[in-house]
Amino acid sequence: MVLPKRVGLLVTCLVDLIRPSVGFAAVRLLEEAGCTVDVPSQTCCGQPAFNAGDRSTARRIAEQVIVAFEPFDYVVVPSGSCAGQVRLHYPELFQGDPAWQPRADAVAAKTFELTQFLVDVCGVDAVAARCDATVTYHDSCSSLRELGVRDQPRALLARVDGLTLAESVDTDVCCGFGGTFCVKYPEISDRMVGKKAAAVTASGAGMLLAADLGCLINIAGKLLRDGAPVEVRHVAEVLAGDLDTPPLGAPSPSTREKATP
């Protein structure tokens, strides 16, 4: 008898605070793939501190994540940047530490971005979802360059009934978010996201998808400011068939009701 894969879901801060529907969609997809899913008590993965050069704080945060996720067969993350932090940079943080490096290496080796895990580990080749829309997909820097994730989300989207994928130009070019980059260099970031938003609009797609919420929030904000009629969603929501949650940047039903005189 083959036991189901025991997955620990690393929810990420942005999903927890801004888009919980992504977490629920991830759980649904993992359970449909035959996994048992748990969401242990967790903190930030430490990426902001790490990128800011505060390695001491990043280590302390990483230690909590390692302890929380050691019991699971796999760690799955609905974010390429957070998955990349654990998979690539945890071993770097603890290099040469005889107590922590083996533990960091072990957790890193079993950490995957969501679509990468579904396709490469679980062998998922079908999803029970429908989306009558033409969509375009943005490859986030961390997913593409750190984890090599490009074909996996597209393979899954090809299985969604009613969905048409329209590739935009420069889909692999950074959107300008980059975590603290957009705060430190707002003018450069705005130029970058402006080009990205223009490419999305030119694709003719009515919906933009990606697997990193930071990128999606950044691009959604620019599209909204430009008045572009493009919905923005996390790819997990479409794959799980969750189109009831309003797109990023759109008011929730409760907000619309309060605004109605």
Side-chain angles (χ1 to χ4, degrees), residues 10-12 14-15 22 45 47 76-85 111-115 140 142-143 147 211-214 234:
L10 179 56
V11 175
T12 81
L14 289 180
V15 169
V22 174
C45 70
Q47 182 183 180
V76 177
V77 197
S79 161
S81 61
C82 296
Q85 173 68 17
T111 297
F112 295 85
E113 182 272 333
L114 175 64
T115 63
S140 74
S142 294
S143 288
L147 301 175
D212 275 83
L213 198 53
H234 193 284

Side-chain angles (χ1 to χ4, degrees), residues 149-230:
V149 175
R150 185 191 184 280
D151 295 338
Q152 297 92 328
R154 289 170 172 82
L156 294 172
L157 288 171
R159 301 296 185 177
V160 176
D161 289 341
L163 184 145
T164 300
L165 179 64
E167 295 283 8
S168 60
V169 299
D170 297 331
T171 182
D172 59 343
V173 173
C174 179
C175 73
F177 176 64
T180 57
F181 177 86
C182 64
V183 178
K184 291 182 178 180
Y185 308 104
E187 293 182 359
I188 299 174
S189 175
D190 184 63
R191 289 286 298 276
M192 294 171 73
V193 75
K195 291 181 178 180
K196 178 62 64 174
V200 169
T201 303
S203 74
M207 186 182 298
L208 168 67
L209 305 177
D212 275 83
L213 198 53
C215 300
L216 288 169
I217 293 169
N218 189 41
I219 303 170
K222 186 63 174 177
L223 290 168
L224 186 64
R225 292 191 296 275
D226 290 347
V230 180

Side-chain angles (χ1 to χ4, degrees), residues 10 18 31 38 42 80 92 139 154 157 162 184 197 243 261:
L10 179 56
I18 297 175
E31 289 181 340
D38 195 2
Q42 56 192 268
E92 177 185 345
D139 295 294
R154 289 170 172 82
L157 288 171
K184 291 182 178 180
L243 298 178

